[in-house]
Amino acid sequence: GENVEQHPSTLSVQEGDSAVIKCTYSDSASNYFPWYKQELGKRPQLIIDIRSNVGEKKDQRIAVTLNKTAKHFSLHITETQPEDSAVYFCAASRGDDMRFGAGTRLTVKP
Amino acid sequence: NAGVTQTPKFQVLKTGQSMTLQCAQDMNHEYMSWYRQDPGMGLRLIHYSVGAGITDQGEVPNGYNVSRSTTEDFPLRLLSAAPSQTSVYFCASSYSRRVMGETQYFGPGTRLLVL
């Protein structure tokens, strides 16, 4: 089955700096790559996603890039704010089976 | 719309007991799934369903049963609880899974402690 690895496991940045989280996947047939944000004690919420027919997608301060050849995708957050502090999960799926990375705990210091 | 709801919010079980975690959605979603979340391991898929009467196993199905008799409900049954099943359980749903990716909505979670 699909295997998703996520790095780093923890990330600390200063407010206003950029943050980058990287994921690799093993199944070349995976075609959907969402990113979820989970605040402490809350449910995961989708923040951005990308499909395999697109190389990059941006939504305000958040962007995701996908490299199908290398089988990796990344989340970029610019101009970070304290409210961006949370655990971020990447995932990869083809059809019905979605696999998640282990998560990255992002801390934005004011 | 209430979205995806789960009950109970918190449950304590003794080893060997059985219980059912309830999940319901009111968005007429075809696809529903159950995940468990453990520290440092992300979310792992237990079982999923692509429609009423259809279920399939995910990454970690052992010790859990599911059924999907209606579009709205997707209960998860623990047949004989073990301490290794201590976790936070999330139910999720999406309109469909067969097209290229669909936004998945999560419930608020059930925190389970097995003693």
Side-chain angles (χ1 to χ4, degrees):
Chain A
E2 174 67 275
N3 182 47
V4 179
E5 294 190 356
Q6 183 172 347
H7 300 281
S9 58
T10 61
L11 179 61
S12 182
V13 300
Q14 209 65 38
E15 182 178 359
D17 288 349
S18 296
V20 180
I21 303 171
K22 299 181 180 181
C23 289
T24 60
Y25 60 99
S26 61
D27 188 348
S28 57
S30 289
N31 56 17
Y32 176 60
F33 307 91
W35 287 88
Y36 288 86
K37 175 182 180 181
Q38 187 179 30
E39 298 175 349
L40 189 63
K42 301 287 183 63
R43 73 191 77 186
Q45 291 195 306
L46 181 73
I47 55 171
I48 195 167
D49 57 11
I50 192 167
R51 289 162 175 78
S52 60
N53 57 349
V54 176
E56 185 174 357
K57 184 177 179 180
K58 188 174 181 180
D59 183 4
Q60 299 183 338
R61 297 186 296 110
I62 295 173
V64 58
T65 58
L66 172 64
N67 183 327
K68 287 190 296 181
T69 303
K71 289 189 283 188
H72 69 70
F73 55 112
S74 300
L75 177 71
H76 304 255
I77 305 175
T78 58
E79 300 172 18
T80 53
Q81 301 167 3
E83 51 264 39
D84 293 330
S85 295
V87 178
Y88 291 80
F89 294 97
C90 64
S93 79
R94 56 164 183 165
D96 302 322
D97 191 343
M98 179 175 284
R99 302 295 172 99
F100 283 76
T104 296
R105 181 173 300 278
L106 173 65
T107 302
V108 181
K109 299 178 182 177
Chain B
N1 286 354
V4 182
T5 58
Q6 290 183 238
T7 56
K9 291 183 180 179
F10 181 71
Q11 183 72 45
V12 179
L13 290 179
K14 294 182 180 179
T15 297
Q17 287 185 316
S18 62
M19 80 160 294
T20 299
L21 280 64
Q22 301 292 344
C23 174
Q25 52 87 14
D26 61 359
M27 298 176 282
N28 201 31
H29 284 173
E30 289 185 346
Y31 181 91
M32 297 185 74
S33 57
W34 276 101
Y35 293 89
R36 60 177 289 173
Q37 184 174 32
D38 303 294
M41 300 188 73
L43 293 125
R44 291 183 292 169
L45 183 65
I46 304 172
H47 285 284
Y48 64 92
S49 169
V50 299
I54 305 169
T55 63
D56 208 343
Q57 296 182 349
E59 185 181 359
V60 288
N62 292 342
Y64 307 95
N65 273 1
V66 291
S67 60
R68 185 96 178 270
S69 57
T70 67
T71 300
E72 295 78 19
D73 301 297
F74 190 44
L76 178 72
R77 297 183 185 84
L78 280 71
L79 306 174
S80 177
S84 60
Q85 294 179 304
T86 293
S87 188
V88 179
Y89 292 85
F90 287 99
C91 178
S93 74
S94 62
Y95 179 72
S96 173
R97 209 21 151 231
R98 289 177 179 157
V99 295
M100 264 185 47
E102 291 285 349
T103 300
Q104 191 161 221
Y105 298 90
F106 283 83
T110 293
R111 189 173 296 274
L112 178 66
L113 175 62
V114 183
L115 303 174

